[in-house]
Amino acid sequence: MSIYPGVLSAPRVPGRSRPAAPRRPWRVVAALATTLALAVAGPTPAHADNPYERGPDPTVASIEATTGPFATAQLTVARSAVTGFGGAIVWYPTSTAEGTFGAIAIAPGFTNTQSAVAWLGPRLASQGFVVATIDTLSVYDQPASRGTQLLAALDYLVGTSAVRSRIDRNRLAVMGYSMGGGGTLAAANTRPSLQAAIPLTGWHTTKNWSGVRVPTLVVGAENDTTAPVASHSEPFYTSLPASLDKAYLELNAATHSAPTSPNVTIAKYSISWLKRFVDDDTRYEQFLCPAPRGSAIEEYRDTCPHS
């Protein structure tokens, strides 16, 4: 990867409180439906308290596993078949017996193609998500453009893609590596209706993200010399509102390219974050709160307990 130009630091702006309107109005509907079901039909079915839970109860082994509980398939989306981004590989669970799934768009970094983040496709899809690892319009696109392209990819997934019927359009998330990580923050800032964002060793000249209202897991790498955590991931995290569900995971002794190959630490906490906030699955809270520790983690900060 080419070394990026120098960065400019911006002063931290205090975070604003999250909007009063609830992010997940289904809670009220689900509570009323549960009350009615109890009165009419007796005991409630499994997962009646959260219709978005997918898969068996998680364990440390299950979130560290290379393959999750869902069988998956993939399809290739040609650049010529879409507008607003450069095509994608889409991974998805083959069974819809449990209902629809949340969807995630993932962007590569500067000079990279989707192959740089391709390992995340089947890994996340097998845990119960539809996942698109995208190509950008140009490998030289800057973070703001990559953010716009991530949103275009999500719009394609829920609008016209062959897997649209498998997706719940209200449960969407973005991820990205390097400039794709900067694009992830930009996308979250643009579209507050997203359910989760995960910038991986992100790079962006903007340091103040106090306007973001999307639960965000910032992943940095201790030995990153391309996007040093002191001038990228750490300021990103601290600028996010204090009232936001957010976390900062710094990978011990890792470099900028850590997200470009299979990484158990990135996978297990990305899965947990996406399950917790895209699926609102509190079964995964145990892996995020209290703050995880271990030899692979240099530092972890959080706003536990999550709302």
Side-chain angles (χ1 to χ4, degrees), residues 109-111 136-146 149 179-180:
F110 189 67
T111 75
T136 48
L137 295 171
S138 165
V139 295
Y140 305 111
D141 286 336
Q142 295 297 297
S145 175
R146 290 169 192 265
Q149 292 178 59
M179 280 196 180

Side-chain angles (χ1 to χ4, degrees), residues 59-69 119 122-124 126-127 262-265 267-268 271:
T59 64
V60 171
S62 74
I63 62 173
E64 290 184 345
T66 302
T67 303
W119 72 274
R123 191 113 175 201
L124 297 180
S126 70
Q127 295 286 344
N263 184 295
V264 172
T265 305
K268 68 189 290 187
I271 289 165

